[in-house]
Amino acid sequence: MAPLQDHQVEKLLDEASKHNNFQDLEKFLQNESKEETTVKCSRQFMTKLDKLFIREMDLGNVDHACLVLTVLHKYGETLVFPGGGGMSVMVAQGFVKKMVQWFDKARKLWEEAGSSRNETMMKLAEDYFDALMVVCESCKEGIYEVTEALLSHIGKLASDAQINIMIQKEAARKLNAILEKIPIELKKKKKILSSQEASSMMSAVANQILRGGDYDLQVSLMEALCRMASPVQRNQLADSWFTMTFVSSAFKKIKDPEFETDCRKFLNMVNGMQGDGRSVYSYPCLEAFLDKHELLMPEDKNLEAFWIDFNLGSQSMSFYFCVADKKAQVMTL
C-alpha cells in the first residue's frame, strides 16, 4: 500500500475542528488500513488532537471524541513529525499530561453512567486505553510517564464497584498490560509502585477482589496485585489488604509458578465464604461442549476440576479451557 497523502489525517482533523465535519474523518478511519502507512503531521498535531478531544467531551459528543482516540491508536505508531521522530516526540512535548486530563473527563462520564451497561461509555473506555497503550509502547519514557501519572488512576477505576463492570474489566486488562511493559531498570530507578497513592490503589484492588462480581475481573485484579508487589512484599502487605486472617493466610500461599491454580483455590474460597450473598458461583463440571466441539480442561497437574463460573455482576458465565493447540483460553457467554 502506498503511503498516505502527506498530512491527510491532520487535514481531516482540521476539517472536523473548524467546520464540525466529522463524517469524512469517520469514513476515512473505517475504510483506511493502517498497514504500511506513514502519517506525516505538523508540530501542532498534538495541540490539535487535545483541543478537539476536550471540546467534544465538553459538548457531550462522545462519539466524536472517540474518533480522536481512534486516530491515535490506529496511526500513533506511524506518526512522523518534521525532522523525524514519531509518538516519542509527543511524549517529550508533554502528551501524557494531556491524557491524564482526558482520563479525568472520561472518568466523570463513566461515574455518571454508573454500573448500568452503556455501549458508548464502553467504546470510550476501549478507545482510550487502546490509545494509551500506543503511548506506552512508543518509548521507555512513554511507559514510565504513563505508569507514574496514570497507573494508580487506572487501578482505582478497575476496582470501583460504582463503575460498570465491563469498564472495570477493560481497565484491569490494561493495568496488567502496562505493568508487564515496565522495564526492570525503570522499576529500580524510580520507585513508582511504592508511593502512598500506589499503596492506596493496591488496597482498593484487594477490596474489589473480595467484592467479586465477575471471576475474570477477580483474576485480572489478582494478577495486577501480584505484579505490583514481590512475593516478599505480598507477605508483608497481605494482612493489611485482607483483614480476615484465614483470607490473608490463603493469599500468602499463592506462588507465581502456580498462579492460575493457586488463584482458583483462593477465589473459590473467597467467593464461597459469602454464602448466598456471593456474586460469583463456581461449579466443577464433567464435560463442556461448544456446538459439537469438546472443550478440554486446562492441562495442569494441580488443577482439581474443570470449573465454570456464573457471574452475577456481569450477568455472564465463563470458563477456562484448552483446545487442540493446548493453549489455555477463557470463554465468556
Side-chain angles (χ1 to χ4, degrees), residues 92-162:
Q93 291 176 341
F95 187 59
V96 173
K97 292 181 180 179
K98 302 293 185 184
M99 294 207 77
V100 173
Q101 296 172 0
W102 294 10
F103 180 88
D104 290 341
K105 288 188 174 294
R107 169 135 199 170
K108 288 180 181 178
L109 294 183
W110 294 326
E111 290 175 345
E112 290 173 3
S115 60
S116 59
R117 189 179 181 93
N118 184 309
E119 295 302 327
T120 299
M121 292 298 104
M122 187 63 207
K123 187 175 188 311
L124 176 62
E126 291 173 346
D127 286 338
Y128 177 85
F129 286 119
D130 284 347
L132 188 66
M133 291 311 299
V134 172
V135 178
C136 285
E137 295 165 356
S138 65
C139 58
K140 283 187 177 181
E141 199 59 31
I143 182 62
Y144 167 63
E145 290 194 18
V146 167
T147 302
E148 185 178 50
L150 279 163
L151 193 75
S152 292
H153 295 292
I154 296 170
K156 288 181 178 179
L157 178 69
S159 54
D160 188 344
Q162 303 304 313

Coordinates of all heavy atoms in Angstrom, one line a residue, residues 92-162:
A92 N 7.6 13.7 24.6 CA 8.6 14.7 25.0 C 7.9 16.1 25.1 O 8.3 16.9 25.9 CB 9.7 14.8 24.0
Q93 N 6.8 16.3 24.4 CA 6.1 17.6 24.4 C 5.1 17.6 25.6 O 4.4 18.6 25.8 CB 5.4 17.8 23.1 CG 6.3 18.1 21.9 CD 5.5 18.2 20.6 OE1 4.4 17.8 20.5 NE2 6.2 18.8 19.6
G94 N 5.0 16.5 26.3 CA 4.0 16.5 27.4 C 2.7 15.9 27.2 O 1.7 16.2 27.9
F95 N 2.6 15.0 26.2 CA 1.3 14.5 25.8 C 0.7 13.6 26.9 O -0.5 13.6 27.0 CB 1.5 13.6 24.5 CG 0.2 13.1 24.0 CD1 -0.8 14.0 23.6 CD2 -0.1 11.8 23.8 CE1 -2.0 13.6 23.1 CE2 -1.3 11.3 23.3 CZ -2.3 12.3 23.0
V96 N 1.5 13.0 27.7 CA 0.9 12.1 28.8 C 0.1 13.0 29.8 O -1.0 12.6 30.3 CB 2.0 11.3 29.6 CG1 1.4 10.6 30.8 CG2 2.7 10.3 28.6
K97 N 0.5 14.2 30.0 CA -0.2 15.1 30.9 C -1.6 15.4 30.3 O -2.6 15.5 31.0 CB 0.6 16.4 31.1 CG 1.8 16.2 32.0 CD 2.5 17.6 32.2 CE 3.8 17.4 33.0 NZ 4.5 18.7 33.2
K98 N -1.6 15.5 29.0 CA -2.9 15.7 28.3 C -3.8 14.5 28.5 O -5.0 14.7 28.7 CB -2.6 16.0 26.8 CG -1.7 17.1 26.4 CD -2.4 18.5 26.8 CE -1.5 19.6 26.3 NZ -2.1 20.9 26.8
M99 N -3.2 13.3 28.4 CA -4.0 12.1 28.5 C -4.5 11.9 29.9 O -5.6 11.3 30.1 CB -3.2 10.9 28.0 CG -2.9 10.9 26.6 SD -2.7 9.2 25.9 CE -4.4 8.7 25.7
V100 N -3.8 12.5 30.9 CA -4.4 12.5 32.3 C -5.6 13.3 32.3 O -6.6 12.9 33.0 CB -3.3 13.0 33.3 CG1 -3.9 13.2 34.7 CG2 -2.1 12.1 33.3
Q101 N -5.6 14.5 31.7 CA -6.8 15.4 31.6 C -7.9 14.7 30.9 O -9.1 14.8 31.3 CB -6.4 16.7 31.0 CG -5.4 17.5 31.8 CD -4.9 18.7 31.0 OE1 -5.3 19.0 29.9 NE2 -4.0 19.5 31.6
W102 N -7.6 13.9 29.8 CA -8.6 13.2 29.1 C -9.2 12.1 30.0 O -10.4 11.9 29.9 CB -8.0 12.5 27.8 CG -7.4 13.5 26.8 CD1 -7.3 14.8 26.9 CD2 -7.0 13.1 25.5 NE1 -6.8 15.4 25.7 CE2 -6.6 14.3 24.8 CE3 -6.9 11.9 24.8 CZ2 -6.1 14.4 23.5 CZ3 -6.4 12.0 23.5 CH2 -6.0 13.2 22.9
F103 N -8.4 11.4 30.7 CA -8.9 10.4 31.6 C -9.9 11.0 32.6 O -10.9 10.4 32.9 CB -7.7 9.7 32.3 CG -8.1 8.6 33.3 CD1 -8.3 7.3 32.8 CD2 -8.4 8.9 34.6 CE1 -8.7 6.3 33.7 CE2 -8.8 7.9 35.5 CZ -8.9 6.6 35.0
D104 N -9.5 12.1 33.2 CA -10.4 12.8 34.2 C -11.8 13.1 33.6 O -12.8 12.9 34.3 CB -9.7 14.0 34.7 CG -8.5 13.8 35.6 OD1 -8.4 12.6 36.1 OD2 -7.7 14.7 35.8
K105 N -11.8 13.6 32.4 CA -13.1 13.9 31.7 C -13.8 12.6 31.5 O -15.1 12.5 31.6 CB -12.8 14.7 30.5 CG -12.4 16.1 30.7 CD -12.4 16.9 29.5 CE -12.1 18.4 29.8 NZ -13.2 19.0 30.6
A106 N -13.1 11.6 31.0 CA -13.8 10.3 30.7 C -14.3 9.7 32.0 O -15.5 9.2 32.0 CB -12.8 9.4 30.0
R107 N -13.6 9.7 33.0 CA -14.0 9.1 34.3 C -15.3 9.8 34.8 O -16.1 9.1 35.4 CB -12.9 9.2 35.3 CG -13.3 8.9 36.7 CD -12.4 8.0 37.5 NE -13.1 7.3 38.6 CZ -12.5 6.4 39.3 NH1 -11.3 5.9 39.0 NH2 -13.2 5.8 40.3
K108 N -15.4 11.1 34.7 CA -16.6 11.7 35.1 C -17.9 11.1 34.4 O -18.9 10.9 35.0 CB -16.5 13.2 34.9 CG -15.6 13.9 35.8 CD -15.5 15.4 35.6 CE -14.5 16.1 36.5 NZ -14.4 17.6 36.2
L109 N -17.7 10.9 33.1 CA -18.8 10.3 32.3 C -19.1 8.9 32.8 O -20.2 8.4 32.9 CB -18.5 10.4 30.8 CG -18.4 11.8 30.2 CD1 -18.2 11.6 28.7 CD2 -19.7 12.5 30.5
W110 N -18.0 8.1 33.0 CA -18.2 6.7 33.5 C -18.9 6.7 34.8 O -19.7 5.8 35.1 CB -16.8 6.0 33.6 CG -16.2 5.8 32.2 CD1 -16.8 5.6 31.0 CD2 -14.8 5.9 31.9 NE1 -15.9 5.5 30.0 CE2 -14.6 5.6 30.5 CE3 -13.6 6.0 32.7 CZ2 -13.4 5.6 29.9 CZ3 -12.4 6.0 32.1 CH2 -12.2 5.8 30.7
E111 N -18.5 7.6 35.7 CA -19.2 7.7 37.0 C -20.6 8.1 36.9 O -21.5 7.5 37.6 CB -18.4 8.7 37.9 CG -17.0 8.2 38.3 CD -16.3 9.3 39.1 OE1 -16.7 10.5 39.1 OE2 -15.3 8.9 39.8
E112 N -20.9 9.0 36.0 CA -22.3 9.4 35.8 C -23.2 8.3 35.2 O -24.3 8.2 35.6 CB -22.4 10.7 34.9 CG -21.8 11.9 35.5 CD -21.7 13.1 34.5 OE1 -22.1 12.9 33.3 OE2 -21.2 14.2 34.9
A113 N -22.6 7.5 34.4 CA -23.3 6.4 33.8 C -23.6 5.3 34.8 O -24.5 4.5 34.6 CB -22.5 5.8 32.6
G114 N -22.8 5.2 35.8 CA -23.0 4.3 36.9 C -22.7 2.8 36.5 O -21.9 2.6 35.5
S115 N -23.3 1.9 37.1 CA -23.0 0.5 36.9 C -23.8 -0.1 35.8 O -23.5 -1.3 35.3 CB -23.3 -0.3 38.2 OG -24.7 -0.2 38.5
S116 N -24.7 0.6 35.2 CA -25.5 0.1 34.1 C -24.7 0.0 32.8 O -23.8 0.8 32.6 CB -26.8 0.9 33.9 OG -26.4 2.3 33.6
R117 N -25.0 -1.0 32.0 CA -24.2 -1.1 30.8 C -24.6 0.0 29.8 O -25.7 0.3 29.5 CB -24.5 -2.5 30.1 CG -23.6 -2.8 28.9 CD -24.0 -4.2 28.4 NE -23.1 -4.5 27.3 CZ -22.0 -5.2 27.4 NH1 -21.6 -5.7 28.6 NH2 -21.3 -5.5 26.3
N118 N -23.5 0.6 29.2 CA -23.7 1.7 28.2 C -22.6 1.5 27.2 O -21.4 1.6 27.4 CB -23.5 3.0 29.0 CG -23.7 4.2 28.1 OD1 -23.2 4.3 27.0 ND2 -24.5 5.1 28.6
E119 N -23.1 1.2 26.0 CA -22.2 0.8 24.9 C -21.3 2.0 24.5 O -20.1 1.9 24.2 CB -22.9 0.4 23.6 CG -23.7 -0.9 23.8 CD -22.8 -2.1 24.2 OE1 -21.6 -2.1 23.8 OE2 -23.2 -2.9 25.0
T120 N -21.8 3.2 24.6 CA -21.0 4.4 24.3 C -19.9 4.6 25.3 O -18.7 4.9 24.9 CB -21.9 5.7 24.2 OG1 -22.9 5.5 23.2 CG2 -21.0 6.9 23.9
M121 N -20.2 4.4 26.5 CA -19.2 4.5 27.6 C -18.1 3.4 27.5 O -16.9 3.6 27.7 CB -19.8 4.5 29.0 CG -20.7 5.7 29.3 SD -19.7 7.2 29.3 CE -20.2 8.0 27.7
M122 N -18.6 2.2 27.1 CA -17.7 1.1 26.9 C -16.7 1.4 25.7 O -15.5 1.1 25.8 CB -18.5 -0.2 26.6 CG -17.6 -1.4 26.6 SD -16.8 -1.8 28.1 CE -15.3 -2.7 27.6
K123 N -17.2 1.9 24.6 CA -16.4 2.3 23.5 C -15.4 3.4 23.9 O -14.2 3.3 23.5 CB -17.2 2.7 22.3 CG -16.4 2.9 21.0 CD -17.2 3.2 19.8 CE -16.4 3.2 18.6 NZ -15.2 4.0 18.6
L124 N -15.8 4.3 24.7 CA -14.9 5.4 25.1 C -13.7 4.7 25.9 O -12.6 5.1 25.8 CB -15.6 6.4 26.0 CG -14.8 7.5 26.7 CD1 -14.1 8.3 25.6 CD2 -15.7 8.3 27.6
A125 N -14.1 3.8 26.8 CA -13.0 3.1 27.6 C -12.1 2.3 26.7 O -10.8 2.4 26.8 CB -13.7 2.2 28.6
E126 N -12.6 1.5 25.7 CA -11.8 0.7 24.9 C -10.8 1.6 24.0 O -9.6 1.3 23.9 CB -12.6 -0.1 24.0 CG -13.4 -1.2 24.7 CD -14.4 -2.0 23.8 OE1 -14.7 -1.5 22.7 OE2 -14.8 -3.0 24.2
D127 N -11.4 2.7 23.4 CA -10.6 3.6 22.6 C -9.6 4.3 23.4 O -8.4 4.5 22.9 CB -11.5 4.6 21.9 CG -12.3 3.9 20.7 OD1 -11.9 2.9 20.3 OD2 -13.4 4.5 20.3
Y128 N -9.9 4.8 24.6 CA -9.0 5.5 25.4 C -7.8 4.6 25.8 O -6.6 5.0 25.6 CB -9.6 6.0 26.7 CG -8.6 6.7 27.6 CD1 -8.3 8.1 27.4 CD2 -7.9 6.0 28.6 CE1 -7.3 8.7 28.2 CE2 -6.9 6.6 29.4 CZ -6.7 8.0 29.1 OH -5.7 8.6 29.9
F129 N -8.1 3.4 26.2 CA -7.0 2.5 26.7 C -6.1 2.0 25.5 O -4.9 1.8 25.6 CB -7.5 1.4 27.5 CG -7.9 1.8 28.9 CD1 -9.2 1.7 29.3 CD2 -7.0 2.4 29.8 CE1 -9.6 2.1 30.6 CE2 -7.4 2.8 31.0 CZ -8.7 2.6 31.5
D130 N -6.8 1.8 24.4 CA -6.0 1.4 23.2 C -5.0 2.5 22.8 O -3.9 2.3 22.4 CB -7.0 1.1 22.0 CG -7.6 -0.2 22.1 OD1 -7.2 -1.0 23.0 OD2 -8.6 -0.5 21.4
A131 N -5.5 3.8 22.8 CA -4.6 4.9 22.5 C -3.5 5.0 23.6 O -2.4 5.3 23.2 CB -5.5 6.2 22.5
L132 N -3.8 4.8 24.8 CA -2.8 4.9 25.9 C -1.7 3.8 25.7 O -0.6 4.1 25.9 CB -3.5 4.7 27.2 CG -2.6 4.9 28.5 CD1 -2.2 6.4 28.5 CD2 -3.4 4.5 29.7
M133 N -2.1 2.6 25.2 CA -1.1 1.6 25.0 C -0.2 1.9 23.9 O 1.0 1.6 23.9 CB -1.8 0.3 24.7 CG -2.5 -0.4 25.9 SD -1.6 -0.4 27.4 CE -0.2 -1.5 26.9
V134 N -0.6 2.7 22.9 CA 0.3 3.1 21.8 C 1.3 4.1 22.4 O 2.5 4.0 22.1 CB -0.5 3.8 20.7 CG1 0.5 4.5 19.7 CG2 -1.4 2.9 20.0
V135 N 0.9 4.9 23.3 CA 1.9 5.8 24.0 C 2.9 5.0 24.8 O 4.1 5.2 24.8 CB 1.1 6.8 24.9 CG1 2.1 7.7 25.7 CG2 0.2 7.7 24.1
C136 N 2.4 4.0 25.6 CA 3.2 3.1 26.4 C 4.3 2.5 25.6 O 5.4 2.3 26.0 CB 2.4 2.1 27.1 SG 1.4 2.7 28.5
E137 N 3.9 2.0 24.4 CA 4.8 1.2 23.6 C 5.7 2.0 22.7 O 6.6 1.5 22.0 CB 4.0 0.3 22.7 CG 3.2 -0.8 23.5 CD 2.1 -1.5 22.7 OE1 1.9 -1.1 21.5 OE2 1.5 -2.4 23.2
S138 N 5.6 3.4 22.7 CA 6.3 4.2 21.8 C 7.8 4.4 22.3 O 8.7 4.5 21.4 CB 5.7 5.6 21.7 OG 5.7 6.3 23.0
C139 N 8.0 4.4 23.6 CA 9.4 4.6 24.1 C 9.4 4.3 25.6 O 8.4 4.3 26.2 CB 9.9 6.0 23.8 SG 8.8 7.3 24.5
K140 N 10.6 4.2 26.2 CA 10.7 3.9 27.6 C 10.1 5.1 28.4 O 9.5 4.9 29.5 CB 12.2 3.7 28.0 CG 12.7 2.3 27.7 CD 14.1 2.1 28.2 CE 14.6 0.7 27.9 NZ 15.9 0.5 28.5
E141 N 10.3 6.3 27.9 CA 9.8 7.5 28.7 C 8.3 7.5 28.6 O 7.6 7.9 29.6 CB 10.3 8.8 28.0 CG 10.2 10.0 28.9 CD 11.0 9.8 30.2 OE1 12.0 9.1 30.3 OE2 10.5 10.4 31.2
G142 N 7.7 6.9 27.6 CA 6.3 6.8 27.5 C 5.7 5.9 28.5 O 4.8 6.3 29.2
I143 N 6.3 4.7 28.7 CA 5.8 3.8 29.7 C 6.0 4.3 31.1 O 5.2 4.1 32.0 CB 6.4 2.4 29.5 CG1 5.8 1.4 30.5 CG2 7.9 2.4 29.6 CD1 4.4 1.1 30.4
Y144 N 7.2 4.9 31.3 CA 7.4 5.5 32.6 C 6.4 6.6 33.0 O 5.9 6.6 34.1 CB 8.9 6.0 32.7 CG 9.0 6.9 34.0 CD1 8.9 6.3 35.2 CD2 9.3 8.2 33.9 CE1 9.0 7.0 36.4 CE2 9.4 9.0 35.1 CZ 9.2 8.4 36.3 OH 9.3 9.1 37.4
E145 N 6.2 7.5 32.1 CA 5.3 8.6 32.4 C 3.9 8.2 32.6 O 3.2 8.6 33.5 CB 5.4 9.7 31.3 CG 6.7 10.5 31.2 CD 6.6 11.7 30.4 OE1 5.5 12.2 30.1 OE2 7.7 12.2 30.0
V146 N 3.4 7.2 31.8 CA 2.1 6.6 31.9 C 2.0 6.0 33.3 O 1.0 6.1 34.0 CB 1.8 5.7 30.8 CG1 0.5 4.9 31.1 CG2 1.6 6.4 29.5
T147 N 3.0 5.2 33.6 CA 3.0 4.5 34.9 C 2.9 5.5 36.1 O 2.1 5.3 37.0 CB 4.2 3.6 35.1 OG1 4.3 2.7 34.0 CG2 4.2 2.8 36.4
E148 N 3.8 6.5 36.0 CA 3.8 7.4 37.1 C 2.5 8.3 37.2 O 2.0 8.5 38.3 CB 5.0 8.4 36.9 CG 5.2 9.3 38.1 CD 6.4 10.2 37.9 OE1 6.6 10.8 36.8 OE2 7.2 10.3 38.8
A149 N 2.0 8.6 36.1 CA 0.8 9.6 36.1 C -0.5 8.9 36.1 O -1.5 9.5 36.6 CB 0.9 10.5 34.8
L150 N -0.6 7.7 35.6 CA -1.9 7.1 35.4 C -2.2 5.7 36.0 O -3.3 5.3 36.1 CB -2.3 7.0 33.9 CG -2.7 8.3 33.2 CD1 -2.6 8.2 31.7 CD2 -4.2 8.6 33.6
L151 N -1.1 5.0 36.4 CA -1.3 3.7 36.9 C -2.3 3.6 38.1 O -3.2 2.7 38.1 CB 0.1 3.1 37.3 CG 0.0 1.5 37.5 CD1 0.0 0.8 36.2 CD2 1.3 1.1 38.3
S152 N -2.1 4.5 39.0 CA -3.0 4.4 40.2 C -4.4 4.8 39.8 O -5.3 4.2 40.4 CB -2.4 5.4 41.3 OG -1.2 4.9 41.8
H153 N -4.6 5.7 38.9 CA -5.9 6.1 38.5 C -6.6 4.9 37.8 O -7.8 4.6 38.0 CB -5.9 7.3 37.5 CG -5.4 8.5 38.2 ND1 -6.1 9.2 39.1 CD2 -4.2 9.2 38.0 CE1 -5.4 10.3 39.5 NE2 -4.3 10.3 38.8
I154 N -5.9 4.2 37.0 CA -6.4 3.0 36.3 C -6.8 1.9 37.2 O -7.8 1.3 37.1 CB -5.4 2.5 35.2 CG1 -5.2 3.6 34.1 CG2 -5.9 1.3 34.5 CD1 -4.1 3.3 33.2
G155 N -5.9 1.7 38.2 CA -6.1 0.6 39.2 C -7.4 0.9 40.0 O -8.2 0.1 40.3
K156 N -7.6 2.2 40.4 CA -8.8 2.6 41.1 C -10.0 2.5 40.3 O -11.1 2.1 40.8 CB -8.6 4.0 41.7 CG -7.6 4.1 42.8 CD -7.4 5.5 43.4 CE -6.4 5.5 44.6 NZ -6.2 6.8 45.1
L157 N -9.9 2.8 39.0 CA -11.1 2.6 38.1 C -11.4 1.1 38.0 O -12.6 0.8 38.1 CB -10.7 3.1 36.7 CG -11.8 3.0 35.6 CD1 -13.0 3.9 36.0 CD2 -11.3 3.3 34.2
A158 N -10.4 0.3 37.9 CA -10.7 -1.2 37.8 C -11.3 -1.8 39.0 O -11.9 -2.8 39.0 CB -9.3 -1.9 37.5
S159 N -11.1 -1.1 40.2 CA -11.6 -1.6 41.4 C -12.8 -0.8 42.0 O -13.2 -1.0 43.1 CB -10.5 -1.6 42.5 OG -9.9 -0.3 42.6
D160 N -13.4 0.0 41.1 CA -14.5 0.9 41.6 C -15.8 0.2 41.3 O -16.3 0.1 40.1 CB -14.5 2.2 40.9 CG -15.5 3.2 41.4 OD1 -16.4 2.8 42.1 OD2 -15.3 4.4 41.1
A161 N -16.5 -0.3 42.3 CA -17.8 -1.1 42.1 C -18.9 -0.2 41.6 O -19.9 -0.7 41.1 CB -18.2 -1.7 43.4
Q162 N -18.7 1.1 41.6 CA -19.8 2.0 41.1 C -19.7 2.2 39.6 O -20.6 2.7 39.0 CB -19.6 3.4 41.8 CG -19.7 3.4 43.3 CD -21.0 2.7 43.8 OE1 -22.1 3.0 43.4 NE2 -20.8 1.8 44.8

